[in-house]
Amino acid sequence: MMLSIGKIFWLIIILISVWYIFKIIEKRKINFRNKNDNKEDINKKGIDAYKCNKCGLWSTGDHCNNKECSEA
């Protein structure tokens, strides 16, 4: 069996095509991982909260928002 120029040409085309397909698949995997990492970071973010030592109420900010608390 002899390799002709046409067979070598098509072999190179097929190899390049397969290589690009794997490259595209790898990029999609990386993008999918990055999207998931970003979603996890968003879910991990919390709110700033302050727990009052006197009444035990959790409030946003850095002071107690309870009107009945003496620390407010």
Side-chain angles (χ1 to χ4, degrees):
M1 182 172 155
M2 185 140 196
L3 289 178
S4 66
I5 294 176
K7 288 180 183 178
I8 293 171
F9 172 76
W10 285 110
L11 179 64
I12 291 171
I13 296 296
I14 290 169
L15 290 174
I16 291 172
S17 300
V18 170
W19 183 63
Y20 273 107
I21 288 170
F22 279 111
K23 246 177 116 171
I24 291 169
I25 291 170
E26 190 63 30
K27 278 187 180 182
R28 285 185 180 181
K29 283 182 183 179
I30 290 171
N31 288 339
F32 183 73
R33 285 184 200 142
N34 289 341
K35 283 182 182 179
N36 285 343
D37 289 345
N38 290 339
K39 287 180 184 177
E40 288 176 7
D41 289 343
I42 290 171
N43 292 337
K44 288 182 183 177
K45 290 181 183 176
I47 58 169
D48 293 331
Y50 170 79
K51 183 177 180 184
C52 179
N53 292 330
K54 294 203 178 208
C55 67
L57 179 74
W58 286 92
S59 303
T60 57
D62 59 353
H63 64 280
C64 183
N65 292 335
N66 187 0
K67 293 178 185 174
E68 298 174 5
C69 181
S70 61
E71 195 172 300

